[in-house]
C-alpha cells in the first residue's frame, strides 16, 4: 500500500565548482553558464526540475558565480530594448529564464565537496525530502528521469539515486552501487555504495549519475561525515550509511536510467552534447545535419 509522504517541491543544484577542466573559458565565466547551443547548461537543469514539479530551486554557489543569479533575474533594459524593436521571439526567450521557478541562492564558502554543498541546503530544505541535480549531467526532457525518481521516493520513502550501467573499465570514474532487484524492472534496492572504486573492487557496473532524491536525514549524517576521497565530504559516503541502516532514514533505491544523457563535464562530451542537441532541434537540425554530413564526407 502506498504510504503518505510530504510532496517533494524543492530542488538543490550545487554550482560552486571552479570548472578547471574548461580553463581558460571559466576564468571569469562560471562553467554552468557555458552555452549548450543557445542556452547555458544550468538552464537545462532548472527546466528539468520544474518539469518534474519542483519549482522551488536553491542554487549552491561560490565566489565569481554572480552571472548565475543575473541569468535567472529580470533584465529590464534588455527587455525594454527588445520590446521597442518588436522582437517578441527574443523577448520571450529572455523572460523565460526569469519566470521558470522561484530561485534561491546560498554560498558554499569553502569548497569541501558535494556532500558539504548539499549540507549548505539544510536551512532551506528543512525536514522535507528534496532533489539534488548536478549540472554536468543533462537529461533529455523526453526521458523524464527525475519525475520517475520522485514517484519511486513517494511510493517507497527513503532516498532514490539515479544509476546507469557503464563499461566495467569506466566504473572508476563514478560512484558505484551494490544492488538487489525489486519487482519493478527499472528499480533496484541499493545495499552499498563506494566512491570511484578500482574496477577489480567494484560491486557492479551500476554508476551513480547526477540525480538524487534524498530523505532529509541525510543532513544529520553529513554533519558527522569525515572528509573522504580527495579530502572532501562525499555524498556517496553519507548515502552508504543510509543504505547500511534503513532505521536512520529509510531505504535507498536506485532508478536504472537507459535514456539520453549528455555529459557536459568533459570537454569532448560537452562538444558531443552540443552536436547531438543541435541536430535534434527543429529550427537548427535540418541545415546543421546537412552541413555535418558534408563536413564529415569532405574532411574525414
Amino acid at each position: 500500500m502506498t504510504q503518505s509522504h510530504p510532496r517533494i517541491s524543492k530542488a538543490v543544484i550545487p554550482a560552486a565548482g571552479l570548472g578547471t577542466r574548461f580553463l581558460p573559458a571559466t576564468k571569469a565565466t562560471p562553467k554552468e553558464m557555458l552555452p549548450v547551443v543557445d542556452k547555458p547548461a544550468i538552464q537545462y537543469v532548472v527546466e528539468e526540475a520544474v518539469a518534474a514539479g519542483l519549482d522551488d530551486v536553491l542554487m549552491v554557489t561560490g565566489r565569481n558565480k554572480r552571472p548565475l543569479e543575473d541569468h535567472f533575474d529580470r533584465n529590464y533594459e534588455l527587455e525594454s530594448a527588445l520590446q521597442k524593436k518588436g522582437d517578441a521571439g527574443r523577448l520571450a526567450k529572455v523572460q523565460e529564464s526569469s519566470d521558470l521557478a522561484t530561485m534561491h541562492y546560498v554560498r558554499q564558502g569553502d569548497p569541501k565537496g558535494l556532500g558539504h554543498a548539499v549540507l549548505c541546503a539544510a536551512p532551506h530544505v528543512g525536514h522535507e525530502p528534496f532533489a539534488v541535480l548536478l549540472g554536468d549531467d543533462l537529461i533529455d526532457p523526453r526521458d523524464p528521469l527525475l519525475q520517475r525518481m520522485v514517484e519511486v521516493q513517494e511510493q517507497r520513502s527513503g532516498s532514490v539515486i539515479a544509476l546507469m550501467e557503464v563499461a566495467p573499465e569506466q566504473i572508476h570514474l563514478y560512484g558505484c552501487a551494490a544492488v538487489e532487484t525489486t519487482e519493478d524492472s527499472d528499480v533496484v534496492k541499493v545495499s552499498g555504495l563506494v566512491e570511484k572504486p578500482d574496477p577489480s573492487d567494484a560491486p557492479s557496473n551500476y554508476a551513480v549519475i547526477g540525480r538524487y532524491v534524498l530523505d532529509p536525514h541525510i543532513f544529520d549524517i553529513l554533519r558527522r561525515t569525515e572528509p573522504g576521497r580527495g579530502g572532501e565530504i562525499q555524498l556517496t559516503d553519507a548515502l552508504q550509511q543510509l543504505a547500511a541502516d534503513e532505521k536512520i532514514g529509510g531505504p535507498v533505491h536506485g532508478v536504472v536510467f537507459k535514456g539520453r544523457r549528455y555529459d557536459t563535464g568533459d570537454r569532448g562530451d560537452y562538444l558531443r552534447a552540443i552536436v547531438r542537441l543541435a541536430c535534434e532541434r527543429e529550427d537548427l537540425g535540418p541545415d546543421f545535419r546537412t552541413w555535418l554530413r558534408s563536413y564529415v564526407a569532405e574532411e574525414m
Side-chain angles (χ1 to χ4, degrees), residues 213-225:
V213 177
L214 301 175
D215 182 275
H217 285 90
I218 195 76
F219 294 130
D220 293 332
I221 297 175
L222 286 169
R223 292 185 184 100
R224 302 190 301 268
T225 299

Side-chain angles (χ1 to χ4, degrees), residues 7-293:
R7 172 66 188 173
I8 300 171
S9 63
K10 295 180 179 178
V12 175
I13 302 176
L18 297 176
T20 53
R21 287 182 289 180
F22 281 85
L23 286 169
T26 50
K27 179 181 178 181
T29 302
K31 69 171 184 176
E32 296 84 5
M33 289 300 297
L34 294 179
V36 180
V37 188
D38 55 3
K39 288 191 295 190
I42 194 68
Q43 184 169 332
Y44 289 88
V45 180
V46 174
E47 288 173 349
E48 181 187 351
V50 172
L54 285 61
D55 56 2
D56 184 325
V57 178
L58 174 70
M59 206 166 288
V60 183
T61 67
R63 287 179 287 276
N64 301 321
K65 298 286 185 169
R66 182 61 185 269
L68 292 170
E69 299 183 33
D70 291 341
H71 179 71
F72 291 101
D73 199 359
R74 299 294 297 273
N75 187 328
Y76 291 103
E77 294 83 358
L78 177 58
E79 291 177 28
S80 177
L82 292 171
Q83 195 166 29
K84 288 178 181 177
K85 288 183 178 180
D87 195 338
R90 288 189 175 90
L91 177 61
K93 289 182 178 180
V94 168
Q95 292 176 331
E96 181 182 12
S97 60
S98 57
D99 295 336
L100 270 175
T102 302
M103 302 295 298
H104 309 270
Y105 305 90
V106 62
R107 284 199 174 191
Q108 184 177 7
D110 296 325
K112 297 180 180 178
L114 177 58
H116 181 260
V118 172
L119 185 56
C120 291
H124 180 77
V125 170
H127 301 289
E128 305 173 23
F130 64 104
V132 174
L133 298 86
L134 305 190
D136 287 347
D137 284 328
L138 303 188
I139 305 298
D140 194 294
R142 293 168 293 183
D143 302 311
L145 170 62
L146 186 59
Q147 182 177 330
R148 175 59 175 152
M149 294 173 68
V150 169
E151 291 173 356
V152 172
Q153 198 281 335
E154 290 177 342
Q155 293 166 359
R156 299 173 181 264
S157 73
S159 297
V160 181
I161 62 177
L163 301 174
M164 177 175 273
E165 289 190 80
V166 300
E169 61 270 18
Q170 292 184 318
I171 197 65
H172 71 283
L173 301 172
Y174 300 88
C176 176
V179 303
E180 304 167 4
T181 59
T182 71
E183 64 275 15
D184 293 321
S185 61
D186 65 332
V187 179
V188 293
K189 176 83 173 292
V190 177
S191 57
L193 289 155
V194 58
E195 181 67 17
K196 297 181 179 179
D198 185 277
S200 62
D201 298 326
S204 74
N205 65 331
Y206 283 104
V208 181
I209 60 175
R211 298 293 181 270
Y212 309 82
V213 177
L214 301 175
D215 182 275
H217 285 90
I218 195 76
F219 294 130
D220 293 332
I221 297 175
L222 286 169
R223 292 185 184 100
R224 302 190 301 268
T225 299
E226 296 293 327
R229 190 180 182 93
E232 298 182 336
I233 297 174
Q234 297 288 350
L235 180 60
T236 302
D237 293 342
L239 284 166
Q240 161 61 25
Q241 294 188 47
L242 284 179
D245 186 356
E246 293 185 16
K247 295 179 182 178
I248 298 176
V252 178
H253 287 91
V255 170
V256 180
F257 182 61
K258 296 182 179 180
R260 287 155 285 200
R261 167 180 172 256
Y262 311 107
D263 183 358
T264 61
D266 171 84
R267 288 174 299 174
D269 284 336
Y270 170 75
L271 293 174
R272 284 186 281 272
I274 292 174
V275 171
R276 289 174 65 184
L277 287 169
C279 284
E280 294 175 0
R281 286 267 296 261
E282 292 184 3
D283 57 338
L284 298 173
D287 289 341
F288 185 67
R289 289 193 299 270
T290 299
W291 173 84
L292 191 59
R293 292 189 191 100

